[in-house]
């Protein structure tokens, strides 16, 4: 199954546009990169992959709708999987996008 195209469209509507924001198909999803660093991604199950400061990740995990992303059996520190139910309204999605964009902007640009 491909990524959730409706979620991708919602992200496009909410993410601040600009030349530094690029969409790229990655890991079966549609990622939104800021200055070459992934901020968020619409993923296969209708959820969202969000890159956050690893030091803050544990405080955001709730055990139900937000968990650490696992890839290849390995937990990805600083990468959170947010379930579709946690993205029900625009303010919730906007907050997750803001977290991802803020962290991506704190990293050195990749060109």
């Amino acid at each position: 199954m491909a990524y959730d195209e409706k979620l991708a469209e919602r992200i496009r509507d909410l993410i601040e546009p600009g030349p530094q924001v690029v969409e790229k198909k990655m890991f079966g999803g549609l990622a939104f990169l800021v200055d070459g660093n992934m901020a968020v991604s619409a993923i296969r199950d209708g959820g969202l992959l969000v890159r956050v400061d690893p030091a803050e990740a544990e405080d955001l995990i709730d055990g139900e709708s937000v968990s650490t992303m696992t890839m290849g059996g390995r937990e990805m520190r600083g990468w959170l999987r947010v379930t579709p139910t946690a993205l029900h309204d625009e303010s919730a999605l906007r907050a997750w996008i803001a977290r991802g964009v803020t962290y991506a902007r704190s990293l050195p640009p990749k060109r």
Side-chain angles (χ1 to χ4, degrees):
M1 180 167 96
Y3 62 88
D4 183 335
E5 298 213 17
K6 287 182 182 178
L7 177 60
E9 189 60 37
R10 289 174 63 203
I11 295 168
R12 279 186 202 103
D13 290 344
L14 294 173
I15 199 164
E16 199 174 309
Q20 74 280 9
V21 177
V22 174
E23 294 179 28
K24 187 174 183 180
K25 290 183 180 180
M26 300 173 72
F27 312 116
L30 183 65
F32 292 80
L33 292 84
V34 176
D35 290 325
N37 294 293
M38 188 187 303
V40 296
S41 180
I43 56 177
R44 293 179 191 223
D45 66 354
L48 186 71
L49 175 61
V50 183
R51 189 170 184 194
V52 299
D53 184 336
E56 298 173 3
E58 285 300 316
D59 292 335
L60 297 169
I61 296 169
D62 67 8
E64 287 183 32
S65 58
V66 182
S67 59
T68 301
M69 183 66 176
T70 303
M71 245 185 200
R74 195 178 108 203
E75 285 191 354
M76 306 299 291
R77 193 164 138 69
W79 297 83
L80 301 178
R81 183 186 168 283
V82 182
T83 65
T85 56
L87 305 170
H88 60 283
D89 64 38
E90 297 311 297
S91 63
L93 179 57
R94 185 184 310 275
W96 285 111
I97 292 170
R99 281 185 185 101
V101 168
T102 297
Y103 185 65
R105 285 192 173 132
S106 75
L107 300 170
K110 294 180 182 176
R111 302 282 175 196

